[in-house]
Amino acid sequence: MRVLLTGATGLIGQAMAARLGAEHQVLRLGRRAGADLVADLADPQAIRALDMPPIDALVHCAGV
């Protein structure tokens, strides 16, 4: 299953990426370098500009 993980560069997101990555293909989205996709979820234009493949599930770990 392909899972989009938001907040992937944060503390909880990194732990979730490690756990999910054992069984699923994880597409990591974060605000900082180190994620597969980099965008600020508070910026609608940044979200529209994302070029993402289809996903099967979303795990939202992004903070404020």
Side-chain angles (χ1 to χ4, degrees):
M1 180 180 335
R2 184 178 293 148
V3 178
L4 175 63
L5 174 64
T6 65
T9 57
L11 179 67
I12 295 171
Q14 288 179 34
M16 287 299 294
R19 176 67 67 113
L20 290 169
E23 297 181 24
H24 305 285
Q25 180 184 357
V26 179
L27 184 61
R28 300 170 304 136
L29 184 135
R31 285 188 294 178
R32 298 184 292 245
D36 301 315
L37 299 168
V38 177
D40 183 351
L41 293 179
D43 181 358
Q45 289 183 340
I47 296 168
R48 280 191 287 276
L50 288 172
D51 184 23
M52 290 189 309
I55 60 168
D56 300 304
L58 167 70
V59 177
H60 182 61
C61 295
V64 175

